[in-house]
Amino acid sequence: MDAILQTQAPFSFRHHTSDNARFSIKPFFGFFCKPTHSSRKESLRHGIPLRISASADFSKRSKRKVSRSQPRVPVPAKGFVPKAPIGRGIQKRDGGSKEEDDSSTTSNSGASGLDNIRQEIGVDSDSSELVKNSQETRTHGKENDDSNRKSGEKSTEPVAIVSQSQFKGNTSIVGLDKSKNAGALVKIEASTRAIVDLGLGGKNLDIVQANPIIEKDRSIGIGEKASEIEATGCGSLGSIDDIGGSLETVAALFKTDVETALVKIGAEDKTVEPTSISVVNESIQAADDTMINEVRGFENVDQVVSEKLPIVSALRKSDLLAKLVETGLGDEQLDTSKAYDILGTIGSVGVDDNLSETEARDPKGDDGGDSDGIYSESREMLLNEDLTVSIEAEIQGEGLDHFEVGAVKGSDARVEADNTIPEKKATALPYVPTEQSKVEDSSAKLKLEMEAAMHKQVLERLAQENFYRRNKLFTYPQVVKPGQDIELFLNRSLSDLKDEPDVMIMGAFNDWRWKSFTTKLNKTHLNGDWWSCQIHVPEQAFVIDFVFFNGKNVYDNNDRKDFHVLVEGGMDVSAFEDFLLDEKHKELEKLAKEQAEGDRQAEEQRRIEAEKAASEADRAQAKVEVEKQRNNLQELIKKATTSAANVWFFEPPEFNGGKSVQLFYNKSSGPLGQFNEIWIHGGHNGWQDGLSIVAKLAKSARTDGDWWCAEVSVPVRALVLDWVFANGPPQKATVYDNNKRQDFHAVVPKRIADELCWVEQEQLIYRKLQEERRLREEVVRAKAEKTARMKAETKERTMKRFLLSQKHIVYTDPLEVQAGSTATVIYNPTNTVLNGKPEIWFRCSFNRWTHKNGSLSPQKMIPAENGSHVKTTIKVPVDAFMMDFVFSEKEDGGIFDNKDGMDYHIPVYGGIAKEPPLHIVHIAVEMAPIAKVGGLGDVVTSLSRAIQDLNHHVDVILPKYDCLNLTNVKDLHYQRSYSWGGTEIKVWFGKVEGLPVYFLEPANGFFGTGCIYGRSDDAQRFGFFSHAALEFLHQNGFHPDIIHCHDWSSAPVAWLFKDHYLQYGLSKARVVFTIHNLEFGAQFIGKAMAYADKATTVSPTYSKEIVGNPLVAPHLGKFYGIQNGIDPDIWDPYNDKFIPVSYTSENVIEGKQAAKKALQQRLGIKTADLPLVGIVSRLTHQKGIHLIKHAIGRTLERNGQVVLLGSAPDPRIQTDFLNLKNELHSADNHDRARLILTYDEPLSHLIYAGADFIVVPSIFEPCGLTQLVAMRYGSIPVVRKTGGLYDTVFDVDHDKERAQALGLETNGFSFEGADAGGVDYALNRAISAWYDGRDWFNSLCKRVMEQDWSWNRPALDYLELYYAARK
């Protein structure tokens, strides 16, 4: 077959078909449209394609002779424009040899010709039912007509619908008796229309002229011959002779119809000669004689009735047209176009409606060959037209108002009753179709029948060819294209499903990666065991992949290779990959929107629930407060009176709330007798609303004492009035009469009911509490939004700094590379191992070297505009999230610059793919804030949070000490137990600072000692923990990408993993080891360095300082220094609860001034505007204790203030500083110096915020966090140049270039020596800057606050290290 069926690489549909793939299978209704849908729109609604390319064999049809007396002009087509004819080569190939044609014709001269004609014009056996019932209908119509004439009434009949059905059955006509000859009526109407259109004889004949002819035509052409049809008994034929007679009668009818009409017209316009009619009659008679002779050769009645009757009108039509064209009816007035109209109107069934003039005259063609070209062109024209038919005939006076023949679309035809038409239709005005619509409807019906027959013939030919070739399947169309609905055929007898009653197909597209489908195949009408289904081919398809099965467990999968059909003209593999990426991007966007909406709804629900809970809490608090006030007021009412004899009284004595009364006071009764000005300061209900009544008293006219009075407004809800008298208004009075400290209280006589009063009071308190809470929440929300915004801005600045950090070697243009765009990579080889090389080659890929397209071809870089730099430009894929590259000296390799094995990586923004998350597990013995001793605990928590914020998965495994600070562990609960080394180990789980933490509690009591370090068996304890942590991962099915262990305490993880677990379940993991301080556990650190995949320390400079150490030196190839950071959420002056005023870089001066004042007040030192130096440190030799002492003295000498917070693990050092404390606190400087020799977390926050400088004079410092926290709070660091201090502090006078190379600005003061002179050099410059340039100093405070010393940048460096470990 011509369909491209290719076997591709083996695919299992079970593996390749996605469960959640979406697909759509259109319904299959057989090979033709549904019967009740006569319009193209209805057919397309069901997904049935109506345009089908086909080829057929027409070489065996009967030849017809057509005379060619004169040339003719081209004949215009009616209703459509014919396209170029299909080449004859296909037909000749399909038709076989000429000898085969001749032998076939000779062997069956009586049947073969007509049979081929039937096949060519698309009429099959079931069409005979239509003609049969038409004949019956005509006979019955005459009887009805006679009865109607007698009664003097016009007979009307309801509409009859004639339509094709895909199910065979008996025909019926609604509203008509089966004896009526419906076919004859249609012929008469068509004949008359043609005569009217032609205007025979040179004179146009309008419909008024035609009506008498119609009536006469009916009476002669039908009425006189109806008895002959009935007498012949066409509906109940008994012999071959009877059939022949019946056919003769039908032919005679047609001849009589045409002859009568032509003679009648000729009688009126005197232009038609009898010789013309004679010629036509002879042609018709010859055609009828030929047809009748052929029919007489058939073997039985059924074959003739079912297959040959419909051919009569087609034969008649073609021959009649030829004669009319040749003769012109004897008067030269009938041109070819008018003759062509007759072809489209006479008869109800035919095939040659749209033949051109030449083809109508000579079916053999001009070249004398066979006439395949005629039918090929006709067929091509049919295939390009809408295949919808509606034939309507209106005949008045014969008892038929409206007769409609619907679309006959297939080989199984029947007439269906349309019972939906109401009876009142019979009385409606008769429908008169236009001549043009009748012609178009008739033509459309013929096209549809032709299409159906040819479609069936093509499928039968394809089925036969494929069966002979033992091909078990084929498709139609044979060339499959995207966007089509195709038919897929399977020969079950050639399949593994030959014994199965049901056949189903399961498939997908594009190597099982797109739109899976499953549907059932149906048995077809084709010869052989052919089954079929319909499949819609999506626009994105380039191959169809499928297997067949029985709906259960029996499959035909092409010997495990699956079946594949190529799709031509669609996407290629690359375009489909891009399409999938785009679809994935859309899906991710959709999921992100859904997730965001879900989060929003969840947040809204939480807010509503929180609001409800808070409201209930406010109401409960209001009830409590009201109850308290009520109890107090009850006691007060008991003591209150309405007057006090000779002291005070009210006029009138009976009053209620909301009224004004006169209060009289006898000034001489109390301490205000000597004053000339008296005021009342009052309230109500036990002063519940504070001071609410203020009035000045005036001298009264009463003479029985020194009475003064004032008008007082009584509050509405007052039950008791409370007041005192004073010698002046509020804030100015100095002497009071407060009833001997009891205040004055008077009961309101006509007060409101107590219950109502307290209900109102409770509501007032509730509303007040709600308003206060709303204001607090608004402040918190605004603060949170600002914090988030500042964090995002800081991250953005840090990322930009990260991209610029290696600009001295490589950078891109644009700086932020966008997916789907082009980017230029600019490289400076002078700062690398490729310095001086004549050529530089660029090697690149994407997504950590894992992109589906692999690595790009090496590109030779060209000189850039700026001197020694070279550049190249690349296209960034739409699914890129990271650009990866290295440089080499040659195209095929040579020396590489791969950034010391880390490779160069630049993030790509806007891609449709996201970086897959890593799973990192930290195994450590410290974790802030629950188990912190030094900086290790800070690193574990802060680094883990930073990596988690980058969308990676992080877990922490920690011993469950009995001294844990569990208040900072959320949802702590027992999870499971496991055994290792003969010890049961309980696993607890909780969250610390948002991180999942697994706590291991062994039954041996190793961690129930009340401390973290300090035991003589620390090495054994932590060695056990390291092994137990790995066993926990193994037994619980963890498969981390990275296991990160820290310092000597968890160093055993490195070698235990490689020796015991790498080959036993944890093979995916790689080990990263971090040295926090080389001074402790050197033996363990050295062994871990040997076993780890990558190793780090806590700053770049410290890594350089220890490279000579024999524990590190052998492993420099995998050793890196990464600067530690601080947690910006823990150290945040904007949200710090331990300082008096929150501040950012925008208000740093105001915030620090408030903090300094609070610190001075808390420590009892002088509240003055002096430079304040802070020291927050462990007091050890590493921290430079002798330099700390000198810094304290030098600060006091410069008239500054100094505060030290810290303690010494060495008792001797602790005693030494205790003596210094006593000395300073008792000397002249006692108001400028304070030493607090313990650890105080809240005080440390206040020192960082209140100090102007923080001194860190360490002898060595692997990283140092103190200087980072100081800058976070706007304090200026004064440090010694060592380790991490050198990497983070850039001297304002000496390090400008070094800072700029890293994208930073200077930020402090530093010194190099480890002596007093070095301290003095840095500290003197710092204090002088404070005194001499306050504005500059304040700007420096703002600058250091804006620098990012969080884990944002170190987290990126650690991720690079993690990926390098896994490479």
Side-chain angles (χ1 to χ4, degrees):
M1 62 181 178
D2 295 332
I4 300 176
L5 301 175
Q6 258 193 1
T7 300
Q8 300 185 359
F11 289 96
S12 171
F13 62 92
R14 294 184 177 87
H15 294 164
H16 289 77
T17 303
S18 174
D19 290 337
N20 58 1
R22 295 184 296 275
F23 62 93
S24 175
I25 297 297
K26 296 191 176 182
F28 182 55
F29 299 104
F31 302 114
F32 310 114
C33 301
K34 293 186 69 175
T36 56
H37 297 74
S38 61
S39 69
R40 179 177 177 84
K41 291 182 178 179
E42 289 296 318
S43 299
L44 292 178
R45 189 179 68 182
H46 294 287
I48 306 302
L50 294 181
R51 300 181 184 271
I52 304 175
S53 299
S55 62
D57 179 8
F58 293 95
S59 61
K60 299 179 182 180
R61 68 169 184 270
S62 298
K63 309 296 188 297
R64 292 197 301 269
K65 296 181 180 180
V66 180
S67 61
R68 303 166 58 184
S69 60
Q70 58 186 21
R72 296 287 182 254
V73 296
V75 181
K78 295 290 287 183
F80 69 94
V81 179
K83 297 186 178 180
I86 299 175
R88 300 183 183 181
I90 298 176
Q91 280 74 23
K92 291 180 179 179
R93 181 195 64 195
D94 294 343
S97 65
K98 187 175 185 303
E99 289 77 12
E100 293 172 343
D101 291 347
D102 294 340
S103 62
S104 175
T105 304
T106 303
S107 62
N108 193 356
S109 60
S112 176
L114 276 174
D115 189 66
N116 284 330
I117 293 174
R118 181 189 64 77
Q119 294 177 4
E120 292 162 6
I121 65 173
V123 182
D124 62 13
S125 59
D126 289 336
S127 300
S128 63
E129 287 291 315
L130 179 60
V131 176
K132 179 179 178 180
N133 284 307
S134 297
Q135 295 166 341
E136 294 174 355
T137 302
R138 174 65 190 94
T139 303
H140 185 66
K142 184 176 184 300
E143 298 172 358
N144 288 345
D145 185 65
D146 294 339
S147 62
N148 289 338
R149 286 193 183 97
K150 292 177 181 179
S151 61
E153 298 177 358
K154 183 178 179 179
S155 174
T156 61
E157 294 287 341
V159 178
I161 308 298
V162 181
S163 60
Q164 179 269 342
S165 171
Q166 62 191 28
F167 304 103
K168 294 184 178 182
N170 295 326
T171 58
S172 61
I173 300 178
V174 176
L176 292 177
D177 192 286
K178 291 185 178 181
S179 64
K180 285 188 177 183
N181 193 333
L185 298 181
V186 174
K187 294 174 192 173
I188 297 299
E189 179 64 8
S191 302
T192 307
R193 273 205 323 272
I195 297 169
V196 172
D197 289 340
L198 289 172
L200 298 178
K203 177 182 178 182
N204 290 330
L205 180 65
D206 60 19
I207 192 65
V208 177
Q209 294 172 307
N211 279 335
I213 301 175
I214 294 173
E215 292 298 327
K216 181 62 178 175
D217 190 32
R218 290 194 184 105
S219 62
I220 298 176
I222 299 175
E224 295 180 355
K225 299 297 180 179
S227 59
E228 295 181 23
I229 299 174
E230 187 173 3
T232 304
C234 189
S236 57
L237 298 173
S239 67
I240 294 295
D241 293 337
D242 292 338
I243 295 172
S246 177
L247 292 175
E248 285 187 278
T249 301
V250 175
L253 264 176
F254 183 80
K255 286 191 294 183
T256 303
D257 296 340
V258 177
E259 182 178 6
T260 303
L262 293 177
V263 170
K264 191 65 177 176
I265 290 183
E268 291 190 11
D269 52 35
K270 307 299 184 183
T271 58
V272 180
E273 298 180 0
T275 56
S276 300
I277 300 174
S278 177
V279 173
V280 173
N281 287 340
E282 290 175 3
S283 176
I284 295 173
Q285 183 62 51
D288 291 346
D289 292 343
T290 301
M291 179 270 299
I292 293 168
N293 290 333
E294 290 178 344
V295 171
R296 293 186 188 277
F298 275 85
E299 298 178 357
N300 56 64
V301 173
D302 293 338
Q303 189 173 4
V304 177
V305 173
S306 62
E307 297 183 18
K308 302 311 172 186
L309 286 178
I311 309 303
V312 175
S313 58
L315 284 169
R316 217 177 268 133
K317 178 186 300 183
S318 179
D319 292 338
L320 176 61
L321 173 64
K323 282 299 178 182
L324 291 177
V325 170
E326 281 191 327
T327 64
L329 294 182
D331 58 5
E332 301 295 324
Q333 297 296 317
L334 179 62
D335 61 16
T336 53
S337 62
K338 294 182 178 180
Y340 196 84
D341 288 338
I342 293 181
L343 179 64
T345 56
I346 297 179
S348 60
V349 181
V351 67
D352 299 316
D353 302 0
N354 296 295
L355 297 177
S356 66
E357 175 202 3
T358 303
E359 291 166 337
R361 293 174 55 220
D362 187 2
K364 292 184 178 181
D366 293 337
D367 58 358
D370 62 46
S371 54
D372 285 346
I374 299 175
Y375 286 90
S376 298
E377 181 173 351
S378 177
R379 178 170 63 256
E380 178 67 17
M381 290 185 288
L382 293 179
L383 298 182
N384 290 277
E385 285 296 305
D386 289 339
L387 305 176
T388 303
V389 170
S390 178
I391 299 179
E392 297 174 344
E394 189 77 27
I395 301 177
Q396 299 181 10
E398 290 292 329
L400 181 62
D401 284 340
H402 188 180
F403 179 79
E404 179 179 350
V405 180
V408 180
K409 298 178 181 178
S411 60
D412 301 324
R414 74 175 181 181
V415 182
E416 289 186 355
D418 187 352
N419 295 319
T420 62
I421 302 175
E423 289 299 328
K424 63 181 180 179
K425 278 280 187 176
T427 60
L429 292 176
Y431 166 71
V432 181
T434 65
E435 299 304 319
Q436 181 66 24
S437 67
K438 293 178 181 179
V439 173
E440 292 176 352
D441 290 348
S442 178
S443 176
K445 177 185 175 183
L446 299 176
K447 297 172 192 175
L448 186 60
E449 292 178 338
M450 187 68 174
E451 160 65 17
M454 287 191 297
H455 184 194
K456 181 177 178 181
Q457 188 178 42
V458 170
L459 294 181
E460 288 174 346
R461 178 177 59 81
L462 290 174
Q464 185 177 21
E465 290 177 356
N466 281 278
F467 180 76
Y468 288 155
R469 296 171 185 171
R470 309 304 290 174
N471 292 335
K472 69 174 68 176
L473 61 89
F474 69 90
T475 63
Y476 186 84
Q478 295 173 268
V479 177
V480 178
K481 296 183 178 180
Q484 282 185 329
D485 289 328
I486 68 166
E487 296 173 59
L488 179 65
F489 294 84
L490 170 70
N491 195 308
R492 185 180 61 171
S493 64
L494 302 179
S495 167
D496 296 341
L497 305 176
K498 59 185 176 181
D499 298 325
E500 300 299 324
D502 294 319
V503 180
M504 298 188 71
I505 184 173
M506 178 185 297
F509 301 90
N510 300 357
D511 301 331
W512 297 94
R513 299 175 61 192
W514 183 244
K515 290 188 179 297
S516 61
F517 59 86
T518 301
T519 190
K520 186 176 182 180
L521 279 73
N522 297 311
K523 185 71 169 65
T524 71
H525 70 283
L526 302 175
N527 293 330
D529 196 12
W530 288 99
W531 295 62
S532 75
C533 69
Q534 190 177 59
I535 299 172
H536 178 73
V537 182
E539 294 290 345
Q540 304 80 15
F542 58 81
V543 65
I544 310 174
D545 315 287
F546 53 94
V547 296
F548 300 100
F549 69 114
N550 68 341
K552 298 178 182 177
N553 57 359
V554 180
Y555 287 85
D556 183 350
N557 58 10
N558 195 23
D559 295 330
R560 297 182 178 274
K561 296 189 292 289
D562 298 344
F563 296 96
H564 309 282
V565 174
L566 293 182
V567 180
E568 296 188 6
M571 289 184 173
D572 57 19
V573 176
S574 177
F576 178 67
E577 293 291 343
D578 292 341
F579 168 77
L580 284 183
L581 290 173
D582 187 53
E583 288 295 301
K584 182 179 180 182
H585 180 56
K586 292 178 182 178
E587 184 67 20
L588 290 175
E589 285 185 336
K590 179 182 177 182
L591 292 175
K593 290 180 180 179
E594 292 175 352
Q595 180 66 35
E597 178 61 20
D599 293 343
R600 187 197 65 77
Q601 293 179 0
E603 181 61 29
E604 179 66 16
Q605 185 62 31
R606 284 192 295 268
R607 188 195 65 77
I608 293 173
E609 293 175 356
E611 176 72 23
K612 181 180 179 181
S615 178
E616 293 175 353
D618 290 342
R619 192 167 294 282
Q621 183 177 349
K623 287 181 179 294
V624 171
E625 291 192 14
V626 163
E627 189 63 25
K628 182 179 179 180
Q629 290 179 7
R630 188 172 187 174
N631 292 336
N632 292 337
L633 193 58
Q634 291 297 332
E635 294 296 323
L636 191 61
I637 290 175
K638 292 178 182 179
K639 299 176 182 178
T641 61
T642 57
S643 64
N646 204 32
V647 179
W648 60 268
F649 66 90
F650 286 99
E651 283 290 342
E654 297 292 327
F655 58 89
N656 58 278
K659 301 294 184 181
S660 294
V661 295
Q662 292 255 326
L663 172 61
F664 288 84
Y665 171 61
N666 188 352
K667 184 178 70 170
S668 61
S669 65
L672 299 178
Q674 59 182 344
F675 295 99
N676 296 323
E677 188 174 336
I678 306 297
W679 287 74
I680 178 176
H681 301 174
H684 68 283
N685 295 349
W687 301 96
Q688 71 178 19
D689 290 337
L691 191 63
S692 59
I693 301 174
V694 176
K696 184 178 181 181
L697 280 72
K699 179 67 176 176
S700 171
R702 293 177 63 98
T703 59
D704 56 345
D706 192 7
W707 292 94
W708 293 63
C709 70
E711 186 171 319
V712 175
S713 295
V714 181
V716 175
R717 291 187 301 277
L719 303 178
V720 176
L721 294 178
D722 317 293
W723 75 92
V724 297
F725 297 106
N727 65 343
Q731 282 82 43
K732 291 185 178 181
T734 56
V735 180
Y736 292 87
D737 182 358
N738 56 11
N739 193 24
K740 298 178 180 180
R741 295 182 178 275
Q742 299 296 313
D743 296 343
F744 295 98
H745 304 284
V747 175
V748 177
K750 298 181 179 180
R751 58 186 181 272
I752 62 175
D754 285 359
E755 288 301 325
L756 178 60
C757 174
W758 293 117
V759 168
E760 292 179 353
Q761 181 64 16
E762 179 181 327
Q763 190 64 22
L764 286 174
I765 295 175
Y766 169 71
R767 286 199 294 267
K768 179 183 177 182
L769 292 174
Q770 284 221 311
E771 180 62 19
E772 291 173 352
R773 179 173 56 80
R774 185 186 63 79
L775 293 175
R776 287 195 307 269
E777 289 176 350
E778 285 183 358
V779 171
V780 171
R781 183 165 51 253
K783 204 167 189 177
E785 290 174 354
K786 185 174 181 179
T787 300
R789 184 172 63 254
M790 290 190 299
K791 289 178 69 174
E793 292 170 352
T794 300
K795 279 189 175 183
E796 185 177 353
R797 291 196 303 269
T798 300
M799 178 56 71
K800 186 175 182 179
R801 183 164 66 90
F802 173 76
L803 296 175
L804 291 172
S805 63
Q806 50 190 7
K807 189 174 182 179
H808 61 293
I809 297 176
V810 65
Y811 64 95
T812 61
D813 182 21
L815 189 62
E816 293 186 354
V817 178
Q818 297 292 324
S821 67
T822 57
T824 301
V825 179
I826 299 125
Y827 177 60
N828 183 10
T830 58
N831 295 324
T832 71
V833 296
L834 298 181
N835 182 29
K837 300 299 180 182
E839 293 182 354
I840 303 296
W841 288 82
F842 178 77
R843 300 166 181 272
C844 177
S845 185
F846 301 92
N847 299 353
R848 306 285 181 184
W849 303 98
T850 63
H851 194 269
K852 61 183 178 65
N853 294 336
S855 298
L856 303 181
S857 300
Q859 301 181 36
K860 184 178 179 180
M861 305 187 76
I862 61 175
E865 292 76 13
N866 48 351
S868 61
H869 291 66
V870 291
K871 66 180 181 179
T872 190
T873 300
I874 59 171
K875 174 69 175 178
V876 183
V878 295
D879 59 336
F881 57 79
M882 188 69 66
M883 183 166 67
D884 321 295
F885 51 91
V886 297
F887 305 94
S888 65
E889 62 172 333
K890 299 178 182 178
E891 182 179 5
D892 57 352
I895 298 175
F896 280 85
D897 174 14
N898 61 4
K899 199 180 178 183
D900 296 327
M902 299 283 286
D903 299 341
Y904 292 94
H905 303 282
I906 292 180
V908 177
Y909 298 89
I912 63 178
K914 303 300 179 183
E915 187 170 24
L918 293 176
H919 182 198
I920 299 100
V921 174
H922 288 271
I923 300 177
V925 300
E926 290 187 47
M927 184 181 187
I930 61 173
K932 176 184 174 182
V933 175
L936 189 156
D938 291 316
V939 170
V940 171
T941 302
S942 301
L943 173 60
S944 298
R945 291 184 61 186
I947 296 294
Q948 184 173 263
D949 287 345
L950 293 174
N951 301 315
H952 297 277
H953 303 313
V954 182
D955 292 314
V956 179
I957 302 178
L958 191 75
K960 190 176 185 299
Y961 302 106
D962 59 354
C963 58
L964 284 175
N965 180 8
L966 296 179
T967 57
N968 291 301
V969 183
K970 293 184 178 180
D971 302 323
L972 179 65
H973 62 277
Y974 168 78
Q975 194 175 71
R976 65 176 72 90
S977 293
Y978 68 100
S979 295
W980 177 80
T983 301
E984 182 184 5
I985 302 172
K986 293 181 179 180
V987 181
W988 299 74
F989 178 81
K991 288 206 169 184
V992 178
E993 301 292 326
L995 295 166
V997 182
Y998 295 91
F999 300 91
L1000 305 186
E1001 183 182 18
N1004 56 22
F1006 272 167
F1007 305 110
T1009 59
C1011 63
I1012 296 176
Y1013 302 106
R1015 303 270 303 178
S1016 60
D1017 60 349
D1018 280 353
Q1020 181 183 0
R1021 293 165 62 227
F1022 295 136
F1024 176 89
F1025 164 72
S1026 298
H1027 209 151
L1030 290 172
E1031 187 67 21
F1032 166 75
L1033 294 176
H1034 175 60
Q1035 290 195 24
N1036 290 277
F1038 282 72
H1039 297 284
D1041 297 294
I1042 298 294
I1043 298 176
H1044 196 154
C1045 49
H1046 300 264
D1047 238 354
W1048 72 271
S1049 52
S1050 59
V1053 168
W1055 65 82
L1056 291 172
F1057 170 78
K1058 292 293 180 68
D1059 291 343
H1060 299 282
Y1061 293 95
L1062 180 60
Q1063 305 300 327
Y1064 303 98
L1066 295 177
S1067 58
K1068 179 183 176 183
R1070 298 293 180 266
V1071 175
V1072 173
F1073 173 62
T1074 297
I1075 301 173
H1076 293 264
N1077 194 328
L1078 196 57
E1079 296 297 307
F1080 305 98
Q1083 178 182 356
F1084 296 109
I1085 290 175
K1087 192 172 182 179
M1089 285 291 296
Y1091 277 85
D1093 295 292
K1094 296 290 181 182
T1096 72
T1097 191
V1098 291
S1099 70
T1101 297
Y1102 185 64
S1103 69
K1104 298 174 183 176
E1105 292 172 352
I1106 65 175
V1107 292
N1109 191 295
L1111 302 176
V1112 177
H1115 313 292
L1116 295 182
K1118 59 182 178 183
F1119 184 57
Y1120 305 88
I1122 299 178
Q1123 178 67 46
N1124 279 352
I1126 58 172
D1127 193 321
D1129 294 331
I1130 296 175
W1131 302 104
D1132 181 9
Y1134 186 62
N1135 292 287
D1136 197 328
K1137 61 183 179 180
F1138 299 126
I1139 62 177
V1141 175
S1142 298
Y1143 64 93
T1144 67
S1145 61
E1146 298 170 355
N1147 63 329
V1148 57
I1149 304 306
E1150 293 81 0
K1152 289 189 70 65
Q1153 287 176 348
K1156 177 186 284 189
K1157 182 177 181 180
L1159 179 62
Q1160 291 169 336
Q1161 291 174 346
R1162 175 173 175 176
L1163 298 181
I1165 59 178
K1166 184 178 180 179
T1167 303
D1169 186 20
L1170 298 173
L1172 196 156
V1173 174
I1175 303 170
V1176 181
S1177 173
R1178 286 184 298 114
L1179 301 177
T1180 64
H1181 290 290
Q1182 175 200 340
K1183 299 298 182 180
I1185 54 177
H1186 67 293
L1187 300 177
I1188 292 175
K1189 290 180 181 179
H1190 184 79
I1192 292 173
R1194 187 59 183 165
T1195 300
L1196 295 176
E1197 291 175 4
R1198 294 295 306 271
N1199 196 32
Q1201 294 178 319
V1202 62
V1203 175
L1204 181 147
L1205 175 65
S1207 61
D1210 188 334
R1212 293 173 297 179
I1213 298 175
Q1214 182 76 4
T1215 300
D1216 189 20
F1217 274 88
L1218 183 59
N1219 294 333
L1220 179 61
K1221 171 185 175 180
N1222 294 332
E1223 179 184 343
L1224 292 174
H1225 289 185
S1226 60
D1228 295 338
N1229 298 319
H1230 69 279
D1231 60 347
R1232 292 192 292 118
R1234 286 294 181 272
L1235 276 64
I1236 299 91
L1237 301 179
T1238 185
Y1239 183 75
D1240 188 329
E1241 179 75 13
L1243 182 58
S1244 70
H1245 286 247
L1246 189 58
I1247 292 174
Y1248 284 125
D1252 296 302
F1253 307 97
I1254 296 292
V1255 175
V1256 189
S1258 301
I1259 302 302
F1260 70 92
E1261 190 65 68
C1263 174
L1265 299 180
T1266 303
Q1267 80 280 10
L1268 305 181
V1269 176
M1271 289 187 282
R1272 175 70 168 155
Y1273 280 77
S1275 298
I1276 308 304
V1278 179
V1279 304
R1280 182 176 178 272
K1281 292 183 176 180
T1282 182
L1285 300 174
Y1286 177 79
D1287 293 326
T1288 55
V1289 178
F1290 302 88
D1291 193 282
V1292 296
D1293 296 320
H1294 307 297
D1295 290 330
K1296 291 183 179 179
E1297 292 184 0
R1298 186 167 68 92
Q1300 288 175 357
L1302 298 175
L1304 295 169
E1305 295 182 89
T1306 56
N1307 55 11
F1309 300 87
S1310 60
F1311 62 97
E1312 292 185 0
D1315 54 12
V1319 174
D1320 288 345
Y1321 174 72
L1323 195 56
N1324 282 337
R1325 287 186 293 132
I1327 294 176
S1328 296
W1330 189 93
Y1331 280 122
D1332 300 338
R1334 186 65 66 85
D1335 291 340
W1336 176 87
F1337 180 82
N1338 291 341
S1339 68
L1340 182 61
C1341 294
K1342 176 179 174 65
R1343 181 194 308 169
V1344 299
M1345 277 201 76
E1346 291 174 346
Q1347 292 180 346
D1348 181 17
W1349 297 107
S1350 71
W1351 279 93
N1352 289 335
R1353 169 63 189 274
L1356 296 174
D1357 293 331
Y1358 266 105
L1359 272 180
E1360 292 297 310
L1361 184 76
Y1362 291 156
Y1363 281 110
R1366 298 184 67 245
K1367 188 173 68 172

